Amino acid sequence: MDLTTRYHGPEGRPNFSPENRRSIITFRELDVVKLICQGLTNQQVADSLYISQHSVARHVRSVSFKIGAPDRLGLILSCVHKHLHL
């Protein structure tokens, strides 16, 4: 199943079913991942994005779960392996 079919219904409208909402990476999560992949610590990411360290950790856990990475290193390696240009 491709992403278009997965995230859009038959009329081309977004499909925001509970299953899809849990698997979509948000813009904020992407911001956090970009900085993590640049080697920043949670504190540095928090300072850069004006959020708490707790929020950074939550975003890292959320994205890791969504892409099936076991931990922070797995998240970074997954981004490198998939050649994501963050």
Side-chain angles (χ1 to χ4, degrees):
M1 177 183 315
D2 69 4
L3 290 178
T4 306
T5 304
R6 182 173 178 189
Y7 295 120
H8 291 85
E11 294 86 36
R13 294 188 182 115
N15 178 3
F16 292 116
S17 67
E19 302 83 39
N20 284 339
R21 279 184 274 153
R22 283 191 293 271
S23 63
I24 296 172
I25 296 175
T26 67
F27 289 115
R28 183 51 113 191
E29 289 171 339
L30 189 56
D31 291 339
V32 169
V33 170
K34 286 178 184 179
L35 295 174
I36 294 294
C37 287
Q38 291 174 14
L40 275 65
T41 65
N42 281 8
Q43 184 61 59
Q44 291 168 325
V45 172
D47 293 343
S48 295
L49 298 177
Y50 303 101
I51 59 178
S52 71
Q53 274 187 278
H54 176 77
S55 292
V56 172
R58 185 172 36 86
H59 289 314
V60 170
R61 279 192 312 272
S62 176
V63 174
S64 294
F65 174 78
K66 290 176 183 181
I67 68 170
D71 53 22
R72 181 189 190 96
L73 178 59
L75 174 63
I76 294 168
L77 291 175
S78 181
C79 291
V80 170
H81 177 72
K82 294 177 182 177
H83 304 288
L84 298 179
H85 301 285
L86 301 174

